C-alpha cells in the first residue's frame, strides 16, 4: 500500500462498449444442465453480452476508448501510453494495446497489455497513475477489455454461466484545479493459489497438442468453490486494512466499485465491512463477470448517471487468477 505523491492524477473521461448480442440465463438452459434460478441465486447474473463473430477484444476496446477520449477532450495524438488490461487478448502477441494504439493513431504513445486475472483493471489504473504522478507520462488511456466467450468451454456449466464480454476505458491525466485525484493503491497477490483459475494449454508448460485439445486445456478452468472461499477469507480484511491505512473508515468511502464476479461475494464483503448496500455499484445482473473490464464498466455506467459529487471517495477493488487482488482509492 502506498500514497500517490507528485503530480495529482485525475480521471478525464470514461467510455464503454458491450456487444449487442445478449445471452440470457434461459438461453443457457438449452446449452447446459442449469436453471435461471440457480444462476440468479448463486451469482446474481441474469444476462451477459457476447461478441459477434469477428468481433475482437481490440475492436471492442477501440469503441470504448473512442468514447472515453471524446468525453475527456484529449485527442489520441496527446496520449503518452495505452494500457490494455485483458485476459482474452486477440493473440498472445502482438498485445491488444499496440493494435489499439495503431487503430487510434496515437502516434506518440507506447502500448502494453496487463494480464493478471480480473485484477488487471485495478493494477492498470495504479500503473497509469504512478506513471503520470512521477512525470514520465502525461495522458494515459487505460482500457479493460475482454472477449472471454472465445476461451470458455460452453459445455462446462461451472464456468460458462459466469462470464461475459465487454470493454470499458478511462483517460487519465494531470489534475487541473478543482479536478479529482487518485489517493493510494494497494496491489497484492497470493501465488500459492495459482491453480485456482487457469487457462493452461497452448503455451510453454502445455504446448498445443492433440492431448491439450482433447483435455480442453485451451479453456478457462476454475475451482469455483475454492475461489469463493479464498475471496471471502482474504478480501474483507484486506479492504478494511487498506481503508484504515489510507486514513479512512470503510463508511467514509462514498462509492464502492467491486469486481463484478458474484453478487453473493459482493454482498457478504459489504456486510462484513459495514457498508451501506446503496453505496455499492452493481451491474453484474446485466453483464456477468467481464473480468478485467468489470470495474471500468461499473464506473462508466455510474458516470453516465451523473451521480458523482465533488469530494466523494471511490474505491475500486478486484481479485482474480493468480490469485491477485488489489484496490485503488480516488477522490472526486
Ligand atoms: N447450474 C446448476 N448447477 C451447477 C452449476 C450451474 N451452472 N454449476 C455448478 N453447479 C452445481 C455443482 O455441480 C454442485 O453440484 P453438487 O453439489 O451435486 O456437486 C452444486 O451446483 C454446488 O456447486 P458449488 O461449486 O459448490 O457452488 P457455489 O455455491 O460455490 O457456486 C460459483 C459456484 C458461482 C462458481 C461460486 O463458487 C463462485 O462464484 N466462485 C467464485 C468465482 C469467481 O469469482 N471467479 C472470479 C475470478 S475469474 C478470473 O479471474 C478470470
Amino acid at each position: 500500500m502506498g500514497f500517490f505523491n507528485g503530480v495529482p492524477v485525475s480521471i478525464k473521461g470514461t467510455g464503454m462498449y458491450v456487444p449487442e448480442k445478449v445471452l440470457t440465463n434461459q438461453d443457457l438452459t438449452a446449452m447446459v444442465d442449469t436453471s435461471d434460478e440457480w444462476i440468479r441465486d448463486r451469482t446474481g447474473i441474469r444476462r451477459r453480452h457476447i461478441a459477434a463473430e469477428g468481433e475482437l477484444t481490440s475492436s471492442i476496446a477501440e469503441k470504448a476508448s473512442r468514447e472515453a477520449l471524446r468525453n475527456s477532450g484529449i485527442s489520441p495524438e496527446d496520449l503518452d501510453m495505452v494500457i490494455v488490461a485483458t485476459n482474452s487478448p486477440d493473440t498472445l502477441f502482438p498485445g491488444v494495446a499496440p493494435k489499439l494504439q495503431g487503430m487510434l493513431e496515437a502516434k506518440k504513445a507506447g502500448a502494453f497489455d496487463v494480464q493478471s486475472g480480473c485484477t488487471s483493471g485495478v493494477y492498470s489504473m495504479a500503473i497509469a497513475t504512478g506513471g503520470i504522478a512521477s512525470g514520465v507520462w502525461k495522458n494515459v488511456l487505460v482500457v479493460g477489455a475482454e472477449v472471454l466467450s472465445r476461451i470458455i468451454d460452453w459445455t462446462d456449466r461451472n464456468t460458462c454461466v459466469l462470464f461475459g464480454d465487454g470493454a470499458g476505458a478511462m483517460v487519465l491525466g494531470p489534475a487541473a484545479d478543482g479536478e479529482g485525484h487518485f489517493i493510494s493503491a494497494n496491489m497484492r497477490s497470493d501465488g500459492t493459489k495459482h491453480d485456482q483459475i487457469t487457462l493452461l494449454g497452448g503455451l510453454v508448460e502445455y504446448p498445443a497438442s492433440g492431448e491439450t485439445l482433447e483435455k480442453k486445456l485451451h479453456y478457462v478452468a476454475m475451482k469455483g468453490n475454492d475461489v469463493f472461499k479464498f475471496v471471502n477469507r482474504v478480501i474483507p480484511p484486506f479492504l478494511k486494512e487498506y481503508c484504515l491505512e489510507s486514513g479512512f473508515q470503510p463508511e467514509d468511502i462514498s462509492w464502492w466499485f467491486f469486481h463484478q464476479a458474484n453478487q453473493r461475494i459482493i454482498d457478504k464483503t459489504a456486510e462484513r465491512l459495514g457498508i451501506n448496500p446503496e453505496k455499492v455499484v452493481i451491474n453484474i445482473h446485466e453483464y456477468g463477470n467481464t473480468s478485467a473490464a468489470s470495474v471500468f464498466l461499473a464506473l462508466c455506467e455510474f458516470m453516465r448517471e451523473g451521480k458523482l459529487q465533488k469530494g466523494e471517495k471511490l474505491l475500486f477493488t478486484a481479485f482474480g487468477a493468480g490469485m491477485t487482488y488489489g484496490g485503488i482509492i480516488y477522490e472526486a
Side-chain angles (χ1 to χ4, degrees):
M1 134 77 200
F3 291 93
F4 292 109
N5 296 314
V7 179
V9 178
S10 75
I11 301 172
K12 303 283 182 179
T14 60
M16 65 180 274
Y17 175 80
V18 289
E20 275 168 34
K21 184 180 165 192
V22 167
L23 190 71
T24 64
N25 292 349
Q26 198 55 43
D27 295 333
L28 278 162
T29 63
M31 300 159 70
V32 288
D33 179 14
T34 191
S35 67
D36 175 42
E37 193 188 6
W38 191 97
I39 302 171
R40 265 192 291 116
D41 289 354
R42 300 280 178 135
T43 71
I45 301 167
R46 289 165 185 266
R47 293 143 56 97
R48 69 285 291 141
H49 292 244
I50 302 292
E53 210 181 318
E55 208 164 26
L56 301 179
T57 305
S58 55
S59 45
I60 66 170
E62 183 191 4
K63 288 183 171 139
S65 301
R66 291 205 184 274
E67 184 189 353
L69 285 160
R70 234 180 4 257
N71 288 337
S72 71
I74 289 165
S75 65
E77 304 90 74
D78 293 327
L79 291 174
D80 299 302
M81 187 55 70
V82 174
I83 304 175
V84 176
T86 185
N87 301 285
S88 48
D90 299 356
T91 50
L92 183 60
F93 48 86
V96 177
K99 284 174 87 174
L100 178 61
Q101 175 265 330
M103 290 156 121
L104 296 172
E105 299 187 71
K107 295 200 175 94
K108 289 189 282 177
F112 63 93
D113 287 0
V114 173
Q115 186 268 303
S116 206
C118 303
T119 318
S120 308
V122 169
Y123 274 15
S124 298
M125 287 184 206
I127 295 165
T129 303
I132 299 167
S134 71
V136 173
W137 305 323
K138 195 165 168 231
N139 299 313
V140 179
L141 172 66
V142 190
V143 188
E146 301 282 11
V147 178
L148 295 162
S149 58
R150 302 270 164 73
I151 56 170
I152 282 167
D153 177 359
W154 289 100
T155 66
D156 175 11
R157 69 175 183 175
N158 292 301
T159 50
C160 76
V161 304
L162 302 174
F163 298 100
D165 300 337
M170 57 170 66
V171 178
L172 304 185
D177 278 352
E179 283 187 342
H181 65 285
F182 283 97
I183 294 175
S184 64
N186 195 347
M187 293 178 280
R188 300 273 188 91
S189 173
D190 180 356
T192 63
K193 307 281 188 301
H194 63 82
D195 62 341
Q196 293 195 347
I197 309 169
T198 53
L199 191 157
L200 299 172
L203 289 166
V204 173
E205 192 170 352
Y206 300 97
S209 68
E211 195 186 343
T212 60
L213 279 179
E214 196 186 319
K215 289 186 172 166
K216 299 187 169 185
L217 296 189
H218 50 292
Y219 290 131
V220 173
M222 187 171 69
K223 298 178 179 170
N225 200 253
D226 289 349
V227 175
F228 196 74
K229 285 187 204 142
F230 172 83
V231 172
N232 286 331
R233 180 171 55 79
V234 171
I235 299 300
F238 161 71
L239 288 171
K240 174 95 194 229
E241 181 191 309
Y242 173 41
C243 283
L244 295 180
E245 285 181 357
S246 296
F248 304 116
Q249 294 292 332
E251 58 266 31
D252 296 332
I253 302 297
S254 321
W255 300 104
W256 289 81
F257 295 83
F258 286 103
H259 171 41
Q260 308 285 307
N262 185 315
Q263 178 87 50
R264 282 190 298 154
I265 292 176
I266 296 173
D267 291 347
K268 232 180 190 171
T269 305
E271 191 187 311
R272 283 177 60 189
L273 291 172
I275 301 167
N276 176 353
E278 286 177 12
K279 298 290 177 185
V280 179
V281 178
I282 301 276
N283 62 7
I284 188 170
H285 49 278
E286 177 63 31
Y287 304 115
N289 179 350
T290 57
S291 192
S294 95
V295 285
F296 296 92
L297 293 180
L299 176 67
C300 184
E301 286 198 330
F302 178 81
M303 296 301 281
R304 283 177 179 177
E305 287 170 19
K307 278 193 200 158
L308 189 61
Q309 304 286 322
K310 177 93 198 100
E312 287 188 326
K313 318 264 178 326
L314 317 186
L315 194 152
F316 302 90
T317 180
F319 59 85
M323 296 293 291
T324 58
Y325 55 104
I328 185 165
I329 298 177
Y330 184 79
E331 181 175 335

